[in-house]
Amino acid sequence: MKMRHLSVWLLSACILAMTVWAEPIPEPAESDARYYIELPKGGAEAFFRYTPNRIPLISHHRAGPVPGYPENAIETMDNALRYGFGLMEVDVAELKDGGLVLMHDDTLDRTTTGTGAIKDKTSAEIARLKLVDNEGQVTDYTVPTLEAALKWARGKTILTLDIKRGTDFKKVADAVRATGAEDYAVIITYSLEQATAFHQIAPELMLTVSVYDEDGIDALVQSGINPLKIIAWTGTSLKEPAFYTALHAKGWRVISGTFSLDDKLAISGDNGEYMAIYASGVDVIATDRFWAVQAQIRNPNLFYFVRRAAN
C-alpha cells in the first residue's frame, strides 16, 4: 500500500454537529493511499507555531465519521486519511475500572451495541461491543482504547483529545507518555482554569485554549502557560481578521469550527467558502465535511508536501 507523508522536518512549514449523511461522499482520488503527518521527536511545538507560510489544516470532528465508519474509531481515522492529512479530534472517557476509551456520549446506546452509562462499564465489557455508525448500522469495529489510538497515531496523525467530564486528566497524560505519543497528542481545554490545571500536570503537551477576544489574549499571556504549547480555539463563529492577526502575533495557530456552515455548504455546494475562512486567518478548520475541505486545500498552488514511499 502506498503511503504519503507530510514531512515536517522543515520547521518553516513548521478542533457539535453530525455529518450531513444525505450528502454523497466521494471516493478518494487514490483508494490505496494514505496521507500521514510525521513529526521529528519534540517537533510538535514547531509544527503548531504560526508562520505566514503555514500549511492549511483540518481537524476531523469525532475522527471523521461517514456511513460505514463510526465516530471515534481507528478505522474511521484511517479512512479519513485516504483524503488528505489532518488532525483527528477524538473523545476520551474513563470506565468503571479506570480504563480509558474513545467515546463521546455518556451512554453506550447511540454509538455501540451496548446500553447504559459508560462510567458503569469495565474494559472487558466494552471490548465485547461493536461500534454503530451515525446511520445506525452495526459495524465490525470495536471501541478503541486510548492506548491503542495513541500507538496507531504516531507517525500518521495528531489526536486532539476532548477529555469528557469525570475523566482523570493525569491518567490521560500518563497514557500519552507511556505510548511515546507526546508529539501526536493535543489536549482540548474549555476554560483558562482548565488549561492551566492540565498544563501543570503535563507541561510538555500542546493545548488548545479557548480565546474569544482581546481580554482573553491578555489573560492567556498572564496565565503562566508556556506560550509555545498554545493553540488558540476561537469557537464556531468567524472573528474579524484583526483578531486572528493578534493571535498570530503571539505565535499561536488558530482553530475554528465550521459545523453550522458545513450544513449550509452541503446544500449549496459552494465549498470555496472554506478557502475564504483560511484567508481570513484561520489555520485549522474543525469540520464534519473533511472530504470537501480536503478537496480545497490540496490545491497544489497553495502548498507542497513531500511524498515518501513506504518500506
Side-chain angles (χ1 to χ4, degrees):
M1 179 172 63
K2 288 187 296 183
M3 301 290 183
R4 294 186 177 182
H5 291 65
L6 169 62
S7 178
V8 293
W9 299 93
L10 300 175
L11 297 185
S12 62
C14 332
I15 222 182
L16 291 169
M18 188 177 293
T19 302
V20 183
W21 300 117
E23 181 183 12
I25 313 298
E27 285 295 315
E30 298 180 67
S31 61
D32 63 343
R34 301 294 187 273
Y35 295 78
Y36 288 168
I37 294 173
E38 183 179 21
L39 298 176
K41 186 175 178 55
E45 282 185 8
F47 180 76
F48 282 108
R49 190 72 175 168
Y50 171 76
T51 61
N53 62 336
R54 91 281 198 234
I55 294 173
L57 291 169
I58 77 169
S59 175
H60 300 74
H61 189 215
R62 302 190 195 176
V66 293
Y69 290 95
E71 63 186 52
N72 282 309
I74 290 173
E75 294 84 359
T76 300
M77 292 188 280
D78 179 69
N79 175 68
L81 294 180
R82 298 161 66 210
Y83 293 81
F85 55 82
L87 317 181
M88 294 290 169
E89 184 265 343
V90 295
D91 303 284
V92 182
E94 186 172 350
L95 302 174
K96 180 179 181 179
D97 58 7
L100 300 174
V101 296
L102 302 193
M103 182 66 59
H104 175 272
D105 295 3
D106 292 334
T107 64
L108 299 166
D109 304 58
R110 181 179 66 88
T111 60
T112 79
T113 53
T115 60
I118 191 166
K119 66 181 179 61
D120 296 330
K121 306 299 180 181
T122 65
S123 298
E125 290 172 316
I126 293 295
R128 293 193 289 266
L129 303 179
K130 297 294 185 182
L131 286 167
V132 175
D133 72 11
N134 283 348
E135 290 189 320
Q137 299 300 310
V138 177
T139 72
D140 290 332
Y141 310 134
T142 57
V143 179
T145 64
L146 175 61
E147 178 184 13
L150 289 166
K151 287 180 177 178
W152 173 86
R154 291 180 307 181
K156 297 182 179 72
T157 187
I158 297 168
L159 304 184
T160 60
L161 305 178
D162 189 345
I163 303 171
K164 309 316 286 185
R165 185 178 303 170
T167 300
D168 190 325
F169 277 16
K170 186 176 184 303
K171 286 183 179 179
V172 174
D174 288 345
V176 173
R177 293 165 178 149
T179 54
E182 291 92 338
D183 291 308
Y184 295 97
V186 173
I187 305 302
I188 296 173
T189 65
Y190 289 96
S191 67
L192 186 56
E193 292 75 18
Q194 191 181 60
T196 302
F198 198 96
H199 188 60
Q200 292 173 345
I201 292 170
E204 74 275 20
L205 297 183
M206 301 295 302
L207 302 170
T208 68
V209 187
S210 298
V211 190
Y212 303 120
D213 51 34
E214 295 286 346
D215 289 342
I217 294 177
D218 293 339
L220 184 49
V221 169
Q222 297 170 24
S223 69
I225 297 173
N226 181 348
L228 297 177
K229 300 299 183 181
I230 293 171
I231 308 163
W233 165 257
T234 58
T236 58
S237 59
L238 285 177
K239 310 297 183 185
E240 291 297 321
F243 181 60
Y244 300 137
T245 298
L247 292 168
H248 290 158
K250 301 298 182 184
W252 303 334
R253 286 217 202 194
V254 172
I255 300 182
S256 181
T258 61
F259 308 128
S260 295
L261 181 64
D262 288 338
D263 292 342
K264 296 176 182 178
L265 296 187
I267 297 171
S268 71
D270 186 15
N271 295 330
E273 285 200 37
Y274 291 118
M275 295 314 301
I277 294 170
Y278 286 118
S280 73
V282 172
D283 306 299
V284 185
I285 287 179
T287 179
D288 286 311
R289 299 181 71 235
F290 64 86
W291 61 91
V293 185
Q294 291 289 15
Q296 297 295 312
I297 67 175
R298 288 181 60 200
N299 184 332
N301 294 321
L302 292 177
F303 63 89
Y304 71 91
F305 57 91
V306 177
R307 299 178 182 180
R308 191 168 70 193
N311 294 328

